[in-house]
Amino acid sequence: MSDVFEGMLPGGGVSLPGSADQSEGPVSSNVPLIILDSGDMIIMALELVRGDTNLIDFKASWHPSNPQQDLTGCKIWFTLKESRFDNDPGFLQKTIGDGIQVNVSANTWTVTLDPSDSASLSHSKKFYGDVQIKDALGIVTSQFVEVQFLLDATRAIS
């Protein structure tokens, strides 16, 4: 397992608007979360619905030898691409202040995927990417992700 990523927050991994964890926001069905051990890296696979609002929560855990013990001064990226070899930003990229909210005291962050991020997809599609964190000391750690966007039946949102 990576030195920085402890895993997903309590409650099964992905917290979506309208789930038991939140009292407000649009209703969205729970999504399956699969954590696969791939040697030293953890691969997170998500199935999300096109055009939905999705909140993905992460928690940092610091290796005892790392003097960095919180998210102060960290940079975080969440990137999805059709191919891992595509240039940044790929299909989408979220950063702190632009789709990523950080709670320094809890060592957590939330990636928000807005409806507009996937609304233009015309068919079910898989994307590859990562969550990358660079701490204040310059140490970079990544967790690989795969996201499958499934087609929704209802396109109306107003």
Side-chain angles (χ1 to χ4, degrees), residues 54-118:
N54 294 285
L55 305 177
I56 309 168
D57 295 327
F58 294 90
K59 181 172 179 63
S61 176
W62 305 97
H63 191 276
S65 66
N66 186 340
Q68 175 90 26
Q69 294 298 312
D70 66 31
L71 294 168
T72 302
C74 288
K75 294 183 178 184
I76 303 172
W77 298 266
F78 179 88
T79 306
L80 294 178
K81 300 176 177 185
E82 291 187 48
S83 164
R84 288 186 180 95
F85 304 107
D86 292 348
N87 291 326
D88 284 349
F91 175 69
L92 70 83
Q93 188 170 64
K94 302 292 184 171
T95 57
I96 295 173
D98 183 23
I100 297 179
Q101 242 183 333
V102 176
N103 181 334
V104 172
S105 63
N107 268 337
T108 62
W109 67 94
T110 301
V111 176
T112 301
L113 300 181
D114 296 314
S116 61
D117 291 331
S118 61

Side-chain angles (χ1 to χ4, degrees), residues 48-50 121-125 149-155:
L48 305 176
V49 177
R50 167 189 67 183
L121 294 175
S122 61
H123 58 279
S124 182
K125 190 164 186 71
F149 283 101
L150 306 173
L151 295 183
D152 53 336
T154 303
R155 300 297 304 214

